[in-house]
Amino acid sequence: MGSDLNITKHLQDYILKNGLKLHPIQKEIIDYNLSLGDSKRMQISISQCQFLHLIIKVSKIKKVLEIGTFTGLSTLSMALALPEEGCIIALDKNEETNKIAQKFFKKANQDHKIKTIIKPALESLMSIRNEKFDLVFIDADKMNYQKYYEISLDLLNKEGLVIIDNVLWHGEVVNKDINDKYTKSIRDLNNFISKDKRIEKVMVPFGDGMTVCRVL
């Protein structure tokens, strides 16, 4: 039986060198995030940027909901892949990081595709409950992941996609000795999704792990 390759730093650099090239403003966001200390871990990986770009292109996605924006790397990665008439509604509760993200969106000439809502995500989701999306990307507070997932299914167009970040949680989901509330929350979500008959799904080891769900 074949197994996944162990990705070393050297091999990761090779993959990124030979993959989809980053937009200059994506690079600026990454450089900015490096100055943030521990909070830089909230950024998605470059491989995830590339994956989101490809998913949007091949699925011909036009309308995206993002739950959790941080400084805007994932948002911009998706906006760049959208057609000119495409749009993203980006939810985040942090006004300061959102201001920074909006500056990057404008600098990349993608701000016309992006509408931000600055509130706790569950409140924002209630305010857009009558809208429909082709893709929902979840990357926010982990304790509410299952709530976001359930609401997202109701907001999707037929055969729409939900993509959830951090599903491998630094590898801690498989460590039986780690049982903090965040790890348990991710484990519970993964178990729930694995049994959910409403969708078909695949878990991919990009970044901190992503689960892609397609509504049946």
Side-chain angles (χ1 to χ4, degrees), residues 63-76:
K63 191 170 182 181
V64 176
L65 172 64
E66 179 183 56
I67 306 173
T69 301
F70 189 40
T71 55
L73 181 60
S74 55
T75 326
L76 181 58

Side-chain angles (χ1 to χ4, degrees), residues 114-131:
I114 303 166
K115 175 185 177 183
T116 61
I117 302 177
I118 306 170
K119 288 180 185 177
L122 290 174
E123 290 181 29
S124 299
L125 288 168
M126 291 303 100
S127 71
I128 59 171
R129 60 187 178 276
N130 294 322
E131 300 205 35

Side-chain angles (χ1 to χ4, degrees), residues 32 62 73 75-76 83 99 114 117 155 190-191 204 215:
Y32 173 81
K62 293 184 178 180
L73 181 60
T75 326
L76 181 58
K99 286 178 181 176
I114 303 166
I117 302 177
L155 294 174
N190 291 341
N191 183 57
V204 291
V215 176

